[in-house]
Amino acid sequence: MEALKGVRILDMTHVQAGPTCSQLLAWMGADVIKFEPPQGDATRGQLRDVPNADSLYFTMLNCNKRSIVVNMKTNEGKQVFVDLLKKCDIMMENFGPGVLERLGFTWEKIHEVNPKIVVGSIKGFGSSGPYSDFKAYENVAQAMGGAMSTTGVPDGPPFVTGAQIGDSGTGLHLAIGLLAALHQATTTGEGQYVEVAMMDGVMNLCRVKFRDHQRLTRQSLAEYSVPTYQGMGDVPRAGNDSGGGQLGNAIHCKPHGANDWLYVVVQEAVWDALAKRVGPEVGVPELAADPRVATIAERRKNQNLVWTLLNKFAEKYTKRELMAILNPLDVPCGPIMSTEDLATDEHVRGRDMWVELDHPQRGKWYNVGMPIKLSASPAVIERSPLLGEHTDEVLKSVLGYDEAKIAAMKAAGAFSAPPKKVAA
């Protein structure tokens, strides 16, 4: 049995943050009804790589869902929305501030329609505070949540991360909140409003940087390779430093291409074995006992020397060869995996994290798999829906509408865009 079998979700979200959340819940077995306007989710046509087909942007975020098209600007469309609210356990949206309210559906109104329903909302900056009316995108959230100021090298510009921590990270936070609220609703019979702001989610993911921010009021940060001092205020950008109690950095390997790197963590427990293996090949046979690096305190002070020697050692090894040398020494390390590396990796394929699917418009394509593995209910990934593919199915099987009612509502424009006016 699927973990969320029997849970029905009315998904009004679009683009990335919300669909990330609802797709994960769908993979856990929830019946996710993607409630789309007649023009569909905007990402169906964004960055399209196959003419007249849903884009990878859309298909990779909307698997295992049913699509229903409803025109909420008609009274009939609003009635379909109300009827679905009564049949769903969760409703989720990520509209701009005030959009649902202008349609007449405040949280209070939705709660009145179905007191047990849980409403999930994603906003850039939340529904309160001086930033609440601002628009947010992935990189804006990273900028304002603390990620960019702490990412990059000290003398260079701040960088965004390639991981979508503003959008997809917010979706993950929302999933946790929805499941908690759903559990409470099953106990109390009362739903609640669950809000996640993108800026807040990024701040949560930057928690260790706020740890360091407070440490700087009392001391310098010995594990940083860049200079720090008590009272400096801002946590600095520190390149590829590990940011933890153990030293870590990326080591460049042959043939020294863009992704020919191995990330290495130099734990105190492995230093002796690592130094004895590396030292003789870099002209420092007594490296393990060298007073400049013999203790963790000295290695922190002189970590640039550690990285220089390890980079010299790596000059004649590929990242995989160096990994094979370090693993038997219990040195935590991992190659910098490119997208091509991951798409062809045996480990990734074996864990169903690169999954082939078929789509009626675009043919064969791949999606990233389900990262959460449930032993009793493994995810079965199905393709994303075509626009409005399940409209009639949902109206009949969920709402119990008959053919005559559906036909009348179609005639009234409940499921289509109004005809364009011809200029006189």
Side-chain angles (χ1 to χ4, degrees):
M1 176 178 171
E2 294 169 302
L4 294 181
K5 186 174 179 62
V7 173
R8 182 173 292 133
I9 299 173
L10 184 59
D11 179 17
M12 302 181 78
T13 66
H14 53 287
V15 190
Q16 184 180 166
T20 295
C21 172
S22 55
Q23 178 169 261
L24 282 172
L25 299 177
W27 284 348
M28 293 181 191
D31 176 17
V32 176
I33 299 171
K34 188 170 179 69
F35 190 95
E36 299 186 73
Q39 67 270 27
D41 186 319
T43 59
R44 285 184 181 271
Q46 284 186 10
L47 306 176
R48 184 174 273 150
D49 60 315
V50 175
N52 302 315
D54 287 335
S55 71
L56 285 166
Y57 196 174
F58 178 85
T59 59
M60 295 186 76
L61 290 163
N62 290 281
C63 288
N64 294 59
K65 304 176 187 180
R66 298 196 282 178
S67 170
I68 176 174
V69 165
V70 177
N71 183 356
M72 282 281 280
K73 294 182 179 179
T74 66
N75 290 331
E76 292 81 4
K78 290 180 180 178
Q79 187 58 55
V80 171
F81 176 60
V82 168
D83 290 346
L84 281 170
L85 287 176
K86 295 175 182 177
K87 297 286 188 178
C88 290
D89 304 287
I90 294 171
M91 188 278 278
M92 48 190 295
E93 58 86 18
N94 61 343
F95 294 119
V99 171
L100 266 184
E101 288 78 2
R102 288 192 292 273
L103 288 168
F105 294 101
T106 60
W107 153 243
E108 291 76 17
K109 174 64 177 176
I110 293 170
H111 187 63
E112 179 184 321
V113 171
N114 181 355
K116 195 175 179 179
I117 199 168
V118 172
V119 173
S121 179
I122 289 176
K123 297 288 183 267
F125 303 98
S127 56
S128 61
Y131 302 158
S132 59
D133 290 333
F134 293 179
K135 287 184 177 180
Y137 285 83
E138 168 68 44
N139 294 350
V140 173
Q142 289 195 33
M144 294 185 69
M148 284 185 68
S149 73
T150 55
T151 305
V153 294
D155 298 326
F159 283 130
V160 296
T161 173
Q164 304 291 285
I165 62 174
D167 276 321
S168 286
T170 302
L172 298 178
H173 283 90
L174 182 62
I176 295 167
L178 291 177
L179 292 176
L182 183 63
H183 175 73
Q184 185 172 338
T186 61
T187 304
T188 66
E190 285 288 320
Q192 60 185 294
Y193 179 76
V194 180
E195 179 181 271
V196 180
M198 294 170 69
M199 180 180 178
D200 297 353
V202 172
M203 281 191 69
N204 185 48
L205 296 174
C206 290
R207 190 173 295 269
V208 297
K209 299 302 180 181
F210 291 103
R211 172 202 68 189
D212 294 345
H213 176 77
Q214 294 174 88
R215 290 171 61 213
L216 277 171
T217 64
R218 299 180 177 88
Q219 62 185 71
S220 62
L221 306 179
E223 76 278 9
Y224 276 59
S225 63
V226 299
T228 61
Y229 56 90
Q230 182 181 355
M232 73 181 293
D234 297 335
V235 174
R237 295 190 280 280
N240 286 319
D241 283 5
S242 72
Q246 307 294 335
L247 300 181
N249 221 303
I251 306 301
H252 211 181
C253 304
K254 77 170 190 181
H256 299 95
N259 292 302
D260 292 316
W261 298 78
L262 186 79
Y263 199 90
V264 178
V265 177
V266 181
Q267 292 179 310
E268 188 170 10
V270 304
W271 171 250
D272 186 68
L274 177 62
K276 287 176 179 176
R277 178 66 180 84
V278 170
E281 287 196 31
V282 296
V284 190
E286 301 302 322
L287 181 60
D290 190 311
R292 295 172 297 175
V293 291
T295 67
I296 182 64
E298 292 303 318
R299 286 195 294 280
R300 283 174 177 163
K301 287 180 188 177
N302 299 300
Q303 61 178 286
N304 287 332
L305 173 61
V306 174
W307 305 131
T308 297
L309 294 174
L310 284 174
N311 273 284
K312 183 173 179 60
F313 179 79
E315 287 177 354
K316 57 185 177 182
Y317 301 107
T318 68
K319 60 186 179 184
R320 294 289 185 176
E321 289 169 345
L322 184 56
M323 185 180 182
I325 291 170
L326 299 185
N327 275 337
L329 303 177
D330 289 331
V331 176
C333 61
I336 306 305
M337 301 278 278
S338 69
T339 53
E340 178 65 15
D341 288 336
L342 291 165
T344 56
D345 187 78
E346 181 181 10
H347 178 87
V348 170
R349 294 292 184 98
R351 289 187 58 78
D352 294 324
M353 285 304 298
W354 190 242
V355 183
E356 185 179 56
L357 296 169
D358 200 1
H359 191 277
Q361 294 175 331
R362 64 181 306 112
K364 300 289 186 183
W365 63 286
Y366 288 88
N367 204 356
V368 177
M370 171 59 151
I372 305 166
K373 310 299 187 186
L374 283 73
S375 63
S377 48
V380 177
I381 298 179
E382 301 170 355
R383 68 164 174 87
S384 60
L386 302 177
L387 179 60
E389 181 177 351
H390 305 97
T391 299
D392 283 9
E393 177 185 307
V394 170
L395 295 174
K396 293 174 184 176
S397 66
V398 177
L399 300 183
Y401 290 1
D402 59 25
E403 293 284 359
K405 183 171 184 176
I406 293 173
M409 296 186 85
K410 284 182 178 178
F415 314 113
S416 58
K420 292 183 179 179
K421 294 181 180 179
V422 179

